[in-house]
Amino acid sequence: MVFLFSRARNLSPTLLRLGVRSKWRETSSISDLQHAFRDPSSPYHIPPGTQGPESPDSPPSSPIQLGTFPESTSDALQEARDKLLAAGFDPTSFWEQPIVWGDLDSFQHVNNVRYVRFFESGRIKWMTSVGHDLGGPEKAEAMVKGRGVSLILKSIEVKFKRPVTYPDTLLVSHKPHRPLTANADPAAFHLTASAYSLAQRAIVAESNEVLVWYDYDKLKKCVPDKHVRDAVWRRVKDV
């Protein structure tokens, strides 16, 4: 993490007590500030190799270290597929998301905002598959380009279970589930999603998404024909 202060008076009293007060210049004090963060006596010190605050969930059985790849990506990928299939996720939604260096933030793990994009990519792949079921490649293209009756995202909730670092690949998966109440909006349904880390061999984030059937020609939500809705419900797996 890099901080830039134009004047010494912008520093907190805590940092000043730590000795970050040497020969401040008008423009920058980066080296002094970085030294304070490396100082073991500093309250801001993060020991080398650590990941910062613990997750509320159980930590991995072995430390996650930057720069380590899974021993066997193909084995880890097959294991991920098997676990997600057993949990009822739709295999047509499986999306392999490589983690790139730019996904990391200053805390050296994947920034939380990135997961919304990851789940979006998996959701679009799933929608494309639904479109193929309804009318082949032409309908699949219409589904993702907002032509005719398609889907629109109403809301998304993401729960973060474990930090992810580079390098890694996530297997993102989706599955629909039926309404829990009889008076639920017939134009809407829920998707559950998971992001599975090949490096950690565990689910690292989960999502609950609400999708709405939407007529893009009329610019309003709609209740599509039964055969359209059945294309979704056929993908519900009892586990």
Side-chain angles (χ1 to χ4, degrees):
M1 184 180 294
V2 176
F3 295 86
L4 180 64
F5 294 91
S6 60
R7 299 179 185 274
R9 67 169 177 267
N10 290 335
L11 279 177
S12 69
T14 302
L15 286 177
L16 288 173
R17 288 198 300 272
L18 290 171
V20 187
R21 62 176 86 212
S22 65
K23 295 184 180 180
W24 283 88
R25 294 185 294 274
E26 193 72 9
T27 57
S28 173
S29 59
I30 298 301
S31 59
D32 289 331
L33 190 56
Q34 289 177 338
H35 175 74
F37 278 85
R38 290 194 295 267
D39 183 359
S41 65
S42 166
Y44 303 103
H45 176 64
I46 299 178
T50 62
Q51 298 295 319
E54 277 191 6
S55 164
D57 296 276
S58 300
S61 57
S62 59
I64 308 168
Q65 296 185 357
L66 197 63
T68 58
F69 286 89
E71 292 182 2
S72 173
T73 302
S74 59
D75 289 348
L77 181 58
Q78 186 58 53
E79 179 182 307
R81 289 178 176 275
D82 291 343
K83 287 183 177 180
L84 294 173
L85 282 171
F89 286 96
D90 185 349
T92 67
S93 73
F94 288 176
W95 173 263
E96 293 179 40
Q97 179 65 56
I99 299 303
V100 299
W101 180 259
D103 290 328
L104 306 186
D105 59 20
S106 56
F107 294 100
Q108 295 301 299
H109 60 66
V110 174
N111 187 273
N112 291 356
V113 176
R114 297 285 186 175
Y115 291 89
V116 176
R117 287 292 193 189
F118 299 163
F119 286 124
E120 176 185 60
S121 296
R123 183 173 65 253
I124 294 300
K125 186 174 186 295
W126 180 83
M127 284 174 55
T128 302
S129 175
V130 172
H132 273 282
D133 281 359
L134 291 173
E138 184 176 344
K139 179 57 179 176
E141 181 179 1
M143 287 280 290
V144 299
K145 291 190 175 180
R147 297 198 299 261
V149 174
S150 184
L151 292 162
I152 193 169
L153 180 68
K154 179 180 180 180
S155 66
I156 181 169
E157 176 189 28
V158 180
K159 295 182 179 179
F160 306 100
K161 300 176 70 66
R162 297 183 178 201
V164 173
T165 63
Y166 171 85
D168 201 348
T169 297
L170 305 182
L171 185 61
V172 179
S173 57
H174 281 77
K175 62 180 177 180
H177 56 86
R178 294 183 181 276
L180 299 178
T181 59
N183 59 349
D185 183 355
F189 64 92
H190 288 250
L191 280 178
T192 299
S194 289
Y196 184 102
S197 162
L198 300 192
Q200 300 185 54
R201 299 193 181 226
I203 291 174
V204 294
E206 296 175 328
S207 171
N208 184 50
E209 304 161 14
V210 179
L211 299 188
V212 175
W213 289 106
Y214 193 82
D215 189 327
Y216 283 86
D217 296 335
K218 298 178 180 178
L219 298 180
K220 63 180 183 179
K221 73 176 184 178
C222 63
V223 179
D225 294 337
K226 183 176 182 298
H227 81 279
V228 175
R229 287 175 286 150
D230 285 346
V232 170
W233 302 134
R234 282 196 297 270
R235 295 158 185 265
V236 176
K237 308 294 182 183
D238 295 325
V239 294

